[in-house]
Amino acid sequence: MRRGLSQFSKKIKQWTKSNATGLLMFHLFAAFAEFDRNLIEERSAAGRSAARARGRLEKFRPEDIEMMKSFIESDTPIYSY
């Protein structure tokens, strides 16, 4: 997998926007990135509206808030990896 990625990154570095192929590749990757970003936004909005429809108006449930308060009071470190 690593070898394939390094070969791919070498190819990308060879593409420049100074020729037709490089410009086409640049626009293709930009279009895919924009498409992906729009899909993420649509899914996030759908998830938020579904949660709202279920009656979940707050970001955290009351149980979650109580648990976080207990961690803070007891100086328990919270790690996110």
Side-chain angles (χ1 to χ4, degrees):
M1 181 73 178
R2 275 278 181 221
R3 185 173 172 205
L5 286 175
S6 69
Q7 293 296 324
F8 183 69
S9 66
K10 286 179 185 176
K11 271 289 196 211
I12 288 176
K13 289 176 186 173
Q14 292 173 358
W15 293 331
T16 64
K17 293 193 288 182
S18 63
N19 61 25
T21 304
L23 191 59
L24 173 67
M25 294 306 295
F26 175 78
H27 283 290
L28 282 174
F29 281 117
F32 283 126
E34 184 178 4
F35 174 71
D36 191 38
R37 186 187 69 221
N38 289 337
L39 281 179
I40 292 168
E41 287 177 358
E42 288 175 8
R43 290 179 187 148
S44 296
R48 284 191 302 272
S49 65
R52 236 178 269 117
R54 290 191 311 265
R56 179 104 184 249
L57 302 176
E58 298 179 11
K59 188 171 184 175
F60 296 107
R61 296 177 297 188
E63 307 92 62
D64 296 334
I65 293 171
E66 290 302 318
M67 182 179 64
M68 287 185 259
K69 285 181 181 178
S70 69
F71 284 154
I72 291 169
E73 290 169 359
S74 65
D75 290 330
T76 303
I78 302 171
Y79 298 104
S80 63
Y81 297 99

